[in-house]
Structure formats: structure tokens, C-alpha cells
Amino acid sequence: MTQAADLASGKGSGDENFPVASHLVSARHRPAILAFYRFARIADDVADHPTAAPAEKLEQLARMERGLRGETGANPEGEALHRVLRERGLDEQHPLDLLEAFRRDVTRLRYADWAELMDYCRYSASPVGRFVLDVHGESRALWPRNDALCSALQVINHLQDCAKDRRNLDRVYLPQDLLERAGIGVEALDAPAASPALRGVIATLAEKTAGLLDASRAFSTQIQDLRLSVEVGVIQKLAESLTIRLLRRDPLAERVHHRRAEALGLALLGAAGTLGTRWGWFSRKGTGPDVTSPDGAETGGTEQEARRRE
């Protein structure tokens, strides 16, 4: 019987654009995060397989869900994550949300507007960060800023890979209303270089992504766990750099991804910035950073301090 792993791309955590359970994260949390990653990686590979039939993909994703819910023999990655969740006292909602996104990848090839794309990101990206926060026991008041950062990372990947997604899967994440407003269709992605009109669409989406990153900028310094805080600061810095590149470069014809040395330099800057901000908080107040709840209320600190943080 075909297994989900038979459709694997061979990609691993080291092939991703952003750190996955790097050694910045505490060793006691890395196995749980990597189990979640392996589950997500296989599900993503199933949804993106270039030749498997949609019915086969949906069947494999259904088997992954059954394994996640504890059915023996259904799917090894799902069963492994099920055990991790039970050990940690966590429920299945975050990986279930991811499976919903991958089902959409199988059945949906176009997105009407930014709102539809953000709804997709709610399932494809936000659950990853939410899971990591839950593993660390962080406040769920951090979820809005987590969601902004994770959605930004997802859109960056969509923009970098827009030509490849169209070529391999006929999947286009660029919202249809923006393409229509620019007077172009999805065929514009088939060219060796982006037309001025397509460059305008990509720039518009990069600017919207920059807005998401503005909303997530304080996220890293509001995380209580120092090591996770630094990793998120690194990811924020990498994402900001890639967004600037997408405003200046043509992803159809130019490299957008960071080279290793570039990524390392940006990671050091991101880590230093996060540590510097946290050191300022600790030295000023003698306590960790406060967390802003989804409705904007502060869990600690004065109103003046809240304004400074923003």
C-alpha cells in the first residue's frame, strides 16, 4: 500500500527558508517541534506532489489525520506526533488546522483576494508558530503577533516560488483581483522575467507583507523563554530582509533566497537586536517583558511603558 512517505520530496529542516527547531531552542523542546515538522513536511509533500492524483493525495492526508488521532497503522508520522501530543498534554488542533490547509492545496488553485489568502495562512502558517508557543508554555495572548509573522513568512514563500508553483502545479497564490487590476492573468508567471505589471503586483504583496512584519516586530521580545525569543528575533530579521528583496528583485529571473553567509549575518543582527531590547527591559524594570493580549490590554507594566514598546 502506498504511504505518505512514498510521496516525500526529500526536503528536510535544513532546506527551509527559515530556522526549524534550531539549536537556539532548548534541547528539551526540539524533539516535539521536529515531530511536528516531520508531520507537516510529509503532508506538504503529499499536497505538492506533481504527479499523484488528487484523490490519492486526499486519501493520504486522511490517513495522516487518522494516525494523528491515534489509529495504529494509519500513518507513522501522524502516530509519532500523536504520542508527542499525549506526552505533552497538548491537543491535535494545530496539526489538524495544517491538514485543512493541505487539503485546500489539493483542491484549490486560485485565491480571489488578500482576505482569502490570509484565511489560507490562518491554517497553513499560524498553527506552526502557535504549536511552538504551546510547547514552550507561552501565553496565547501572543497569538495575534505570531499569526502576523507566520502569515508574512508564508506570503514570502509564495512570492519567491510563484513561478515554480504555477509551472509545477498550476497553483497561484497571487490574488486574482490584483492580477486583474494590473491587466494580466496567471500566464504572466510563465515568462522568463516578470513584466512591469507583474512586478507591480509582487511589490503590492511585498508591501502588505511588510505591514504584517510591522505588526509582529514586538513579538520576539514579548516571549518569556529567552532562547525562543532569540530564534523568533532571527526569523523576523530574515523575513524583513527577504521582503525588501522582493520589492527590488524579480523572483522569476533573480535569486531572492539568502545565501548561507547572508543568512548568518542577518541572524546575528536579529539575535543581537532581540537581546539588546530584552536587556533594556530587564535593566529598567527588573522583570521580563510584558505580553499584550489580543484586545490590546497589557498584562503588566504601565501605560507609558506599553506605548514605548509599541
Side-chain angles (χ1 to χ4, degrees), residues 47-48 105-106 108-110 165-166 169-173:
D48 287 354
D105 280 340
V106 174
R108 186 172 192 172
L109 300 177
R110 305 287 187 268
D165 288 339
R166 159 70 176 169
L169 300 162
D170 190 30
R171 189 186 297 153
V172 178
Y173 293 104

Side-chain angles (χ1 to χ4, degrees), residues 40 43-44 47-48 96-128 147 150-158 165 169 171-175:
D44 194 13
D48 287 354
L96 287 175
D97 284 347
L98 274 184
L99 288 176
E100 166 61 21
F102 295 131
R103 290 188 182 98
R104 292 187 191 185
D105 280 340
V106 174
T107 60
R108 186 172 192 172
L109 300 177
R110 305 287 187 268
Y111 289 82
D113 51 30
W114 179 255
E116 280 196 359
L117 184 60
M118 287 297 97
D119 183 65
Y120 169 78
C121 291
R122 156 66 184 86
Y123 292 93
S124 68
S126 299
V128 178
D147 294 357
C150 290
S151 295
L153 304 182
Q154 182 72 88
V155 176
I156 288 167
N157 285 339
H158 289 164
D165 288 339
L169 300 162
R171 189 186 297 153
V172 178
Y173 293 104
L174 277 58

Side-chain angles (χ1 to χ4, degrees), residues 12-278:
S13 58
D15 300 309
E16 304 295 342
N17 291 331
F18 301 98
V20 176
S22 76
H23 289 285
L24 288 172
V25 172
S26 174
R28 72 180 184 277
H29 295 315
R30 293 183 74 243
I33 296 170
L34 287 172
F36 187 91
Y37 171 78
R38 284 189 287 271
F39 178 86
R41 178 72 266 160
I42 290 293
D44 194 13
D45 289 344
V46 167
D48 287 354
H49 196 277
T51 60
E56 181 181 1
K57 293 180 179 184
L58 293 174
E59 171 59 23
Q60 291 301 335
L61 293 174
R63 291 177 63 84
M64 293 190 73
E65 179 173 341
R66 296 201 298 272
L68 177 65
R69 294 185 183 278
E71 181 180 317
T72 302
N75 170 265
E77 292 79 20
E79 293 170 52
L81 183 54
H82 172 80
R83 290 191 292 271
V84 167
L85 295 174
R86 296 286 77 76
E87 291 166 3
R88 294 272 178 159
L90 302 172
D91 62 33
E92 299 96 350
Q93 191 56 54
H94 301 319
L96 287 175
D97 284 347
L98 274 184
L99 288 176
E100 166 61 21
F102 295 131
R103 290 188 182 98
R104 292 187 191 185
D105 280 340
V106 174
T107 60
R108 186 172 192 172
L109 300 177
R110 305 287 187 268
Y111 289 82
D113 51 30
W114 179 255
E116 280 196 359
L117 184 60
M118 287 297 97
D119 183 65
Y120 169 78
C121 291
R122 156 66 184 86
Y123 292 93
S124 68
S126 299
V128 178
R130 291 181 179 189
F131 176 81
V132 173
L133 290 172
D134 281 357
V135 166
H136 284 79
E138 296 286 337
S139 169
R140 292 192 170 188
L142 292 171
W143 280 14
R145 285 192 168 130
N146 165 81
D147 294 357
L149 177 58
C150 290
S151 295
L153 304 182
Q154 182 72 88
V155 176
I156 288 167
N157 285 339
H158 289 164
L159 294 177
Q160 289 182 127
D161 297 337
C162 59
K164 182 178 72 173
D165 288 339
R166 159 70 176 169
R167 179 173 61 252
N168 294 343
L169 300 162
D170 190 30
R171 189 186 297 153
V172 178
Y173 293 104
L174 277 58
Q176 296 298 291
D177 64 339
L178 292 182
L179 294 173
E180 291 170 6
R181 202 174 304 156
I184 55 177
V186 297
E187 298 78 16
L189 292 165
D190 299 335
S195 64
L198 181 56
R199 287 291 297 272
V201 171
I202 292 170
T204 296
L205 292 168
E207 288 166 357
K208 288 180 174 290
T209 303
L212 292 171
L213 292 171
D214 284 343
S216 67
R217 187 158 290 115
F219 178 32
S220 66
T221 51
Q222 293 182 328
I223 294 170
Q224 297 297 312
D225 184 277
L226 177 61
R227 297 177 67 144
L228 179 61
S229 172
V230 172
E231 173 153 291
V232 171
V234 167
I235 293 171
Q236 174 84 23
K237 191 69 175 179
L238 292 168
E240 290 171 353
S241 171
L242 287 172
T243 301
I244 292 171
R245 287 187 174 196
L246 286 164
L247 287 166
R248 299 173 178 172
R249 299 186 184 186
D250 174 5
L252 273 64
E254 299 176 89
R255 180 188 178 95
V256 177
H257 298 267
H258 293 124
R259 299 187 189 279
R260 187 177 296 275
E262 294 169 335
L264 178 58
L266 289 164
L268 292 173
L269 287 173
T274 297
L275 290 171
T277 302
R278 289 179 66 100

